[in-house]
């Protein structure tokens, strides 16, 4: 079993660190918010006094932070405090450029590194059922895999440095677009006098079939476990979808990729969040579309 430094013990990081401890690893955690560190301590994580203290004896360091600037700042702070050859894993969702910078900083400090963003949300973090999308060398991935297996169910090596973040934002751009498309189909069905159940029965078994419809249906009824059945309590908050769509648009602009539907999805989620629904599940955008788009949002 390894000694693991874990920095960023929030909604995701806290339970992920707890699962590493549950699997028998020695986990030293750090968060700038003492209450978050205390919650992780209740899950078996030993609380360190600083990021440097959390990493100094570690074989592996995991970070789970809000955005690229936090990851670069934290790695910049702690890389010098770790033993040479320590494996650094960043599981935050961040921009591809920052992810590649973090890999370069780790290499310059003599460390191995993997970008390993996740899908599965807080439920997946608690239940150790996350999917990890990884970028890095074969050697670094081979070292990361058994550690990630204590926190997730599916661990995919997507390619070289930054490939995990690339997979994450491509997937979530597709999800944002498909959720809006699913919502639009239900709103149009309502206007045409077609029941939710009838549209679901047809589309779930025909060419309109997609995850947003069959696993996460945005109207109550057809999929009893979907957030639509509990007043759109998240789940996956609209603000996080907006974050991922914005990252996909930054990446598309930098890479020169045409993503017009991704751009429109980002615009719609920005308007939804601005209207006060950032904390609502992202499938709740069906109510926003049903009510008619606010002025300024293009059709
Ligand atoms: P969160 O805000 O709950 O947790 C982030 C934690 O990082 C906080 O506890 C914060 O105090 C801590 N932190 C910030 N700066 C720090 C520093 N310098 N040193 C130590 N700790 C620091 O966010 P979250 O929901 O846990 O998400 C974390 C990451 O995972 C984000 O990148 C997010 O996009 C991604 N993600 C979240 C979900 C989800 O459903 N919540 C799903 C998939 C991916």
């Amino acid at each position: 079993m390894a000694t693991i430094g874990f920095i960023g013990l929030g909604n995701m990081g806290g339970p992920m660190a707890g699962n590493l401890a549950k699997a028998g690893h020695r986990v030293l955690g750090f968060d700038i918010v003492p209450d978050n560190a205390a919650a992780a301590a209740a899950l078996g994580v030993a609380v360190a006094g600083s990021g440097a203290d959390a990493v100094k004896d570690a074989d592996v360091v995991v970070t789970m932070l809000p955005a690229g600037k936090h990851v670069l700042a934290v790695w910049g702070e702690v890389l010098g405090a770790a033993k040479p050859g320590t494996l650094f894993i960043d599981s935050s969702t961040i921009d591809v450029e920052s992810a590649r910078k973090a890999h370069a900083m780790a290499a310059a400090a003599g460390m191995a590194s993997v970008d390993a963003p996740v899908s599965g949300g807080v439920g997946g973090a608690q239940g150790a059922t996350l999917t990890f999308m990884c970028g890095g060398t074969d050697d670094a991935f081979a070292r990361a895999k058994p550690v990630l297996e204590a926190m997730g169910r599916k661990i995919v090596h997507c390619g070289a440095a930054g490939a995990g973040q690339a997979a994450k934002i491509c997937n979530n751009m597709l999800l944002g677009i498909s959720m809006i498309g699913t919502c639009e189909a239900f709103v149009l069905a309502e206007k045409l006098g077609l029941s939710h159940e009838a549209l679901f029965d047809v589309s779930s078994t025909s060419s309109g079939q997609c995850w947003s419809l069959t696993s996460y249906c945005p109207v109550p009824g057809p999929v009893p476990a979907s957030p639509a059945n509990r007043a759109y309590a998240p789940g996956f908050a609209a603000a996080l979808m907006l974050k991922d769509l914005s990252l996909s648009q930054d990446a598309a602009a930098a890479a020169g990729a045409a993503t017009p539907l991704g751009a429109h999805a980002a615009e719609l989620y920005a308007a939804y969040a601005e209207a006060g629904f950032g904390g609502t599940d992202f499938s709740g955008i069906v109510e926003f579309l049903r009510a008619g788009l606010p002025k300024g949002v293009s059709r």
Side-chain angles (χ1 to χ4, degrees), residues 140-198:
F141 176 72
R143 284 176 66 190
K145 194 165 182 262
V147 174
L148 301 179
E149 277 167 349
M151 301 183 280
R153 201 149 51 187
K154 191 165 165 73
I155 324 293
V156 185
H157 191 191
C158 298
Q165 296 294 350
K168 166 82 185 174
I169 58 170
C170 289
N171 179 71
N172 279 21
M173 183 180 76
L174 181 56
L175 173 62
I177 294 168
S178 76
M179 178 53 78
I180 290 169
T182 303
C183 293
E184 288 186 3
F186 277 110
V187 169
L188 177 59
E190 289 164 8
K191 295 274 187 213
L192 298 176
L194 180 66
S195 73
H196 291 164
E197 204 55 58

Side-chain angles (χ1 to χ4, degrees), residues 42-62:
L43 301 174
V45 174
V47 176
S50 67
D53 277 348
V55 310
K56 69 180 183 340
D57 294 325
D59 308 302
V60 179
V61 173
V62 184

Side-chain angles (χ1 to χ4, degrees), residues 66-260:
K69 64 179 182 194
H70 305 97
V71 175
L72 293 177
V74 167
W75 282 35
E77 246 171 70
V78 304
L79 276 166
K83 296 181 293 190
T86 299
L87 173 65
F88 275 71
I89 302 173
D90 179 47
S91 282
S92 328
T93 302
I94 68 171
D95 58 291
V96 177
E97 199 188 327
S98 296
R100 291 188 177 139
K101 258 189 215 158
H103 278 279
M105 284 164 58
M111 310 295 174
S113 56
V114 169
D115 55 292
V118 302
S119 149
V122 175
Q126 290 166 340
T129 58
L130 294 168
T131 294
F132 285 88
M133 299 152 246
C134 304
T137 63
D138 288 347
D139 282 356
F141 176 72
R143 284 176 66 190
K145 194 165 182 262
V147 174
L148 301 179
E149 277 167 349
M151 301 183 280
R153 201 149 51 187
K154 191 165 165 73
I155 324 293
V156 185
H157 191 191
C158 298
Q165 296 294 350
K168 166 82 185 174
I169 58 170
C170 289
N171 179 71
N172 279 21
M173 183 180 76
L174 181 56
L175 173 62
I177 294 168
S178 76
M179 178 53 78
I180 290 169
T182 303
C183 293
E184 288 186 3
F186 277 110
V187 169
L188 177 59
E190 289 164 8
K191 295 274 187 213
L192 298 176
L194 180 66
S195 73
H196 291 164
E197 204 55 58
L199 175 62
F200 183 84
D201 284 350
V202 171
S203 286
S204 62
T205 53
S206 54
S207 47
Q209 192 273 339
C210 64
W211 185 89
S212 295
L213 177 70
T214 55
S215 295
Y216 215 84
C217 188
V219 296
V223 177
S226 78
N229 299 285
R230 40 172 212 271
Y232 300 101
F236 185 50
L240 287 172
M241 173 50 82
L242 175 58
K243 173 190 170 181
D244 294 354
L245 285 168
S246 304
L247 289 175
S248 76
Q249 289 313 290
D250 292 347
T259 55

Side-chain angles (χ1 to χ4, degrees), residues 7 10-12 31-33 36 64-66 74 93 121 240 243:
I7 303 178
N11 292 321
M12 297 290 291
D31 196 290
I32 46 174
V33 175
N36 292 355
M64 193 56 172
L65 297 162
V74 167
T93 302
L240 287 172
K243 173 190 170 181

